[in-house]
Amino acid sequence: MSTYALIDSWTMTRRELAHWARQPVQALVGLVFPVMLLLMFGYLVGGGRGVAGDYVDYLVPGMLALTMAFGLEGTMLAVTQDLNKGVIDRFRSLPMADGAVLVGRAAADMLQSALGLAVLTGVGHAIGWRTHGGPGAFLAAVGLLLLLRFAMLWIGIHLAMVAGRPEMVQAVQILVWPVGFLSNAFATPDAMPGWLGTAVRWNPMSHTVTAVRDLFGGPGGEPGHIWAAVAWPLALLAVFFPLAVRRFTRLSR
């Protein structure tokens, strides 16, 4: 990416960050919702059927991964609103790099996702979760989680442009829920019916959850899943990133 493209992308990132200051409630809800889920599953519906070891140590890495898959509607709504309000046409009239709007939106989302991870790990420590893999393993786990988010983000951006209207975003966002809940975030596949356990094991998000648990040194981790936790998001990026950029380029003509 050229220097001008980076400058344009940073300008668009600052534009998205300015929206946070004007709409702090939306950003706050995005941070609080995963915390509510963690506390709900940890204390109200927790139990960890089939989990060997402390359930909180099993649950928190799963919730971290689930947070990376959820919460895409903010970015998707921003993309569709820009398209429908003519903002894209205004940017198109400026000497701006193609795709800088999307890159800026993605960068802002990743900053919020990193902040969400920090908040959720803090809450996890407050309720007794501990890591046992060392600083390097911790950073590697965070890297895998952010890689998952980056891949899911570009899927969301592409689907937002396909949907075209803000009112369609909620319908598209519902498609993310099966991916998140049909995973090993809350329970081990060994405790599920055979067909369901097989589907959960093949879920790309389950590979990230298992790899992160292994890096954190908690129950449910298996070292052989790290390569899949890298390969799956990269494969999704290889498909949806160019699709999103191509769709945006055609819409901008």
Side-chain angles (χ1 to χ4, degrees), residues 140-195:
V142 171
L144 289 180
L145 291 168
L146 291 176
L147 178 62
L148 175 66
R149 177 63 177 191
F150 197 57
M152 296 295 295
L153 177 60
W154 284 100
I155 295 174
I157 289 174
H158 174 66
L159 292 179
M161 288 187 290
V162 171
R165 300 191 305 274
E167 59 269 22
M168 293 295 295
V169 167
Q170 292 297 333
V172 175
Q173 171 68 10
I174 292 175
L175 300 175
V176 178
W177 286 78
V179 176
F181 283 102
L182 289 177
S183 70
N184 60 352
F186 306 115
T188 173
D190 296 333
M192 302 175 187
W195 64 270

Side-chain angles (χ1 to χ4, degrees), residues 23-62:
Q23 300 174 337
V25 174
Q26 182 177 350
L28 184 61
V29 169
L31 296 176
V32 171
F33 180 68
V35 173
M36 293 175 57
L37 281 181
L38 174 60
L39 297 177
M40 182 181 67
F41 279 97
Y43 290 107
L44 296 179
V45 251
R49 187 180 62 172
V51 175
D54 186 83
Y55 183 56
V56 171
D57 286 346
Y58 184 89
L59 174 65
V60 173

Side-chain angles (χ1 to χ4, degrees), residues 66-243:
L66 196 68
T67 302
M68 296 297 95
F70 282 6
L72 296 172
E73 64 271 11
T75 293
M76 296 170 70
L77 280 171
V79 171
T80 55
Q81 288 171 352
D82 282 350
L83 290 173
N84 284 272
K85 291 180 179 179
V87 176
I88 300 299
D89 291 334
R90 298 173 192 170
F91 288 142
R92 187 178 55 182
S93 65
L94 300 174
M96 180 179 294
D98 291 338
V101 175
L102 297 184
V103 174
R105 180 61 244 184
D109 185 286
M110 292 301 294
L111 288 174
Q112 185 173 14
S113 299
L115 179 60
L117 281 181
V119 170
L120 203 57
T121 53
V123 174
H125 276 276
I127 65 175
W129 172 62
R130 296 294 182 268
T131 60
H132 309 282
F138 182 87
L139 292 176
V142 171
L144 289 180
L145 291 168
L146 291 176
L147 178 62
L148 175 66
R149 177 63 177 191
F150 197 57
M152 296 295 295
L153 177 60
W154 284 100
I155 295 174
I157 289 174
H158 174 66
L159 292 179
M161 288 187 290
V162 171
R165 300 191 305 274
E167 59 269 22
M168 293 295 295
V169 167
Q170 292 297 333
V172 175
Q173 171 68 10
I174 292 175
L175 300 175
V176 178
W177 286 78
V179 176
F181 283 102
L182 289 177
S183 70
N184 60 352
F186 306 115
T188 173
D190 296 333
M192 302 175 187
W195 64 270
L196 182 59
T198 299
V200 166
R201 289 187 183 92
W202 277 97
N203 186 340
M205 200 180 94
S206 293
H207 293 292
T208 296
V209 174
T210 303
V212 166
R213 284 179 178 141
D214 177 64
L215 291 168
F216 285 148
E222 298 177 14
H225 288 258
I226 292 179
W227 71 269
V230 174
W232 267 112
L234 290 180
L236 293 173
L237 275 172
V239 173
F240 286 96
F241 179 80
L243 283 177

